[in-house]
Amino acid sequence: MNSSNLDLKRIALVVQYIGTNFHGWQRQPHHRSIQEEIETAIALTLGHDVTIHGAGRTDSGVHGAAQVAHFDAVSSIPPERWAKVLNTRLGDDVLIRASAEVSQDWHACFSALARRYRYTIYTGKIPNLFLKPFTWHYYHHPLDAEIMAEALQPLLGTHDFSAFRRAGSPRPHSFLEVQDVSCQRIKDLIHIEIQASGFLYGMVRLLVGLLVEVGSRVRSPLEFKNIWVNQRRDLVKYSAPAKGLCFLRVHYPEFPIPESVWYNSQPIFTFS
């Protein structure tokens, strides 16, 4: 065997998961997590424990379309084969889409330029079982997607987003750069996307909870802006359900895995 195959390698993974039966990304005692599930699969393969590092943490019930993680290993398994090897040991609700070797100074979290989330709201009055695991079924009041899109625009740029921060966040401050926002309606479905340098604990769900008040005309776009600009966390009362949220993708300056694997791997729900 070629000794070079047994050098320490850093392996990047593109991870998908249906978050319904997970208590979030991060390993925790007495609860099932995506991190633990993958670490267990790697440990069974290598014969010893390994820690994986993710690009971000998701809450209980939140989905991941193209989460990125990395780990270090000394193994003869080719880097691009790790995806198939791990998938034989993972459950039906978590999948490694691809794997590749990266440099030793590359880091799934610290090398990222941006993360993007998508939140999906289903506004039809009749329940739909195929949409239920992945959308917030909001039908109590009509939602105006155009006015919601208008309210999102002032978020662009670097601001203090303390109003959308749940207790327990480990970050030392609440300043983030929001790089892109969108809100579009496709028949009975509203898709909200937010891309930022990073996200606060619970940020997107709190933001969507307040944004729905704008869409239902309980609040104006100006009220929405004043609440977060003035850091009025006390006025952000509702967190949107976890199941409507998906960690869509991560952007890096250099990434060896093709864009087709990670760029838009959660299908947008629609009706023909």
Side-chain angles (χ1 to χ4, degrees), residues 91-157:
D92 291 339
D93 48 4
V94 57
L95 174 79
I96 311 300
R97 292 209 83 200
S99 57
E101 184 176 5
V102 289
S103 64
Q104 286 294 317
D105 61 354
W106 187 93
H107 196 284
C109 181
F110 303 129
S111 298
L113 298 176
R115 289 94 171 151
R116 191 175 185 96
Y117 280 87
R118 175 185 293 151
Y119 198 96
T120 305
I121 302 172
Y122 170 50
T123 63
K125 292 187 182 299
I126 302 172
N128 188 315
L129 188 61
F130 291 94
L131 294 174
K132 187 176 180 180
F134 305 106
T135 64
W136 178 11
H137 187 196
Y138 187 95
Y139 56 92
H140 321 286
H141 306 283
L143 292 180
D144 186 331
E146 290 186 8
I147 202 169
M148 291 165 71
E150 177 189 337
L152 286 174
Q153 290 304 309
L155 294 168
L156 294 170

Side-chain angles (χ1 to χ4, degrees), residues 26-242:
Q26 188 176 12
R27 176 186 281 269
Q28 52 191 295
H30 315 303
H31 294 294
R32 187 175 179 232
S33 71
I34 300 100
Q35 181 183 14
E36 181 179 16
E37 199 101 340
I38 299 170
E39 286 178 346
T40 299
I42 296 170
L44 288 170
T45 304
L46 294 176
H48 61 82
D49 290 341
V50 167
T51 299
I52 64 170
H53 303 273
R57 299 174 181 176
T58 48
D59 292 345
S60 178
V62 175
H63 311 294
Q67 165 74 282
V68 178
H70 80 263
F71 67 97
D72 295 328
V74 175
S75 171
S76 61
I77 298 171
E80 66 278 5
R81 289 281 302 169
W82 269 102
K84 289 186 178 181
V85 170
L86 294 178
N87 284 335
T88 64
R89 299 184 181 276
L90 293 170
D92 291 339
D93 48 4
V94 57
L95 174 79
I96 311 300
R97 292 209 83 200
S99 57
E101 184 176 5
V102 289
S103 64
Q104 286 294 317
D105 61 354
W106 187 93
H107 196 284
C109 181
F110 303 129
S111 298
L113 298 176
R115 289 94 171 151
R116 191 175 185 96
Y117 280 87
R118 175 185 293 151
Y119 198 96
T120 305
I121 302 172
Y122 170 50
T123 63
K125 292 187 182 299
I126 302 172
N128 188 315
L129 188 61
F130 291 94
L131 294 174
K132 187 176 180 180
F134 305 106
T135 64
W136 178 11
H137 187 196
Y138 187 95
Y139 56 92
H140 321 286
H141 306 283
L143 292 180
D144 186 331
E146 290 186 8
I147 202 169
M148 291 165 71
E150 177 189 337
L152 286 174
Q153 290 304 309
L155 294 168
L156 294 170
T158 301
H159 308 284
D160 185 331
F161 290 105
S162 299
F164 301 128
R165 176 174 177 156
R166 281 171 56 189
S169 175
R171 294 178 64 100
H173 61 80
S174 300
F175 284 89
L176 301 169
E177 180 197 11
V178 173
Q179 302 164 344
D180 189 45
V181 291
S182 69
C183 179
Q184 62 171 331
R185 175 183 284 280
I186 304 176
K187 297 194 174 179
D188 284 340
L189 291 151
I190 295 175
H191 304 282
I192 301 158
E193 294 192 17
I194 303 173
Q195 181 171 307
S197 57
F199 287 86
L200 304 172
Y201 179 46
M203 175 177 171
V204 180
R205 291 170 59 196
L206 287 168
L207 192 155
V208 171
L210 189 65
L211 188 64
V212 161
E213 294 187 27
V214 176
S216 59
R217 300 186 181 274
V218 172
R219 297 189 186 275
S220 69
L222 181 58
E223 286 179 288
F224 177 86
K225 179 181 178 181
N226 287 338
I227 286 170
W228 66 260
V229 166
N230 295 310
Q231 300 162 34
R232 293 296 305 274
R233 177 65 181 86
D234 58 306
L235 297 179
V236 184
K237 299 182 181 299
Y238 306 108
S239 179

